[in-house]
Amino acid sequence: TPSGGGPGMVLRANVVDDAIIASIKNTTYKKTPWPIINLSPRGRPLDQKLSKDLAKLDGIIIVCGRFEGIDQRVIDKWNMLEISLGDFIISGGEIAAQALIDSVVRNIPNVLGNNLSIKNESFNEGLLEHPQYTRPTDWEGLKVPQILLSGNHQKIQEWQKKKSIEITKN
C-alpha cells in the first residue's frame, strides 16, 4: 500500500530491483549500459526523435508499472528514463511497452520491407504525412487527385509537401 495512505498499491522497490538485475544478467548491459525505461504518465512524451534515438542503441530495458506505479527509490537508483505515451491513464505499462517497442523497432535498419517507408512518413521532417490514395481511382464518385496520376514526379512531390504543410498547420 502507498506510504502515507491512499488507494491502490505500489510496486515494491526490492521486487522491481530484483527483476531489473535478473533481466541484465545475461545481456551486454554491463559493457554498454542500456536505458531503463519506466512507462509513466509523468514521463517525457514519446516522439519520433526519441524512437529513432532508442533504435540506435544495443538494447533497452522496459519496466511496465501497474497499480499506482513503482516505488520512487528504485526509479532513482536505476536513473530510469520515464516515458509517457500521452495525457491519459491505462491500467498498466504493457500496452504502452508494445507501442514503444513498435515505434523503436521500425527505425532499426532493414526491419521494414521497404527502407523508404520510414523516410516518407509523419514527423520525419516535422510534418504530418500527406493523404494517401490507391485504386480504384474513382470510388463512389470520390476521385484520386489528378496530379497523383500525372506521372510528373516533381509536381507530385510539390503537391505532397503542400498537403503535409496544410495538414500540420490545421
Side-chain angles (χ1 to χ4, degrees):
T1 58
S3 296
M9 297 183 288
V10 177
L11 293 173
R12 292 181 10 204
N14 62 315
V15 173
V16 175
D17 190 57
D18 288 348
I20 291 170
I21 290 168
S23 72
I24 64 175
K25 262 187 178 171
N26 297 315
T27 68
T28 59
Y29 177 86
K30 291 175 184 169
K31 292 179 189 172
T32 308
W34 301 349
I36 300 174
I37 297 169
N38 176 32
L39 297 160
S40 168
R42 70 182 186 192
R44 168 185 173 180
L46 178 63
D47 59 19
Q48 186 67 8
K49 181 184 180 324
L50 179 56
S51 292
K52 284 181 171 185
D53 290 345
L54 292 173
K56 294 174 187 170
L57 302 175
D58 291 333
I60 61 175
I61 295 173
I62 302 172
V63 178
C64 298
R66 270 267 167 205
F67 316 118
E68 295 303 308
I70 299 170
D71 187 302
Q72 185 64 42
R73 294 171 292 179
V74 74
I75 295 170
D76 294 342
K77 174 187 174 181
W78 289 100
N79 192 28
M80 291 184 193
L81 170 61
E82 293 192 288
I83 296 177
S84 172
L85 291 190
D87 293 342
F88 58 92
I89 304 298
I90 53 180
S91 297
E94 300 83 3
I95 293 171
Q98 288 177 323
L100 174 66
I101 291 166
D102 187 66
S103 176
V104 171
V105 168
R106 65 189 325 277
N107 287 292
I108 296 173
N110 302 317
V111 166
L112 297 179
N114 183 339
N115 287 331
L116 293 177
S117 294
I118 61 172
K119 290 183 180 181
N120 300 329
E121 62 185 2
S122 291
F123 308 117
N124 278 344
E125 294 181 19
L127 298 173
L128 295 170
E129 193 172 16
H130 55 79
Q132 298 286 354
Y133 301 89
T134 189
R135 295 180 201 75
T137 57
D138 185 335
W139 175 73
E140 295 187 3
L142 301 170
K143 297 182 177 168
V144 172
Q146 191 59 42
I147 188 68
L148 299 178
L149 305 174
S150 71
N152 185 331
H153 297 291
Q154 181 178 345
K155 293 285 186 194
I156 291 171
Q157 287 178 343
E158 289 170 3
W159 180 89
Q160 290 171 335
K161 180 83 168 192
K162 178 183 172 201
K163 288 297 181 182
S164 288
I165 292 169
E166 287 174 8
I167 290 170
T168 303
K169 184 178 177 181
N170 288 338

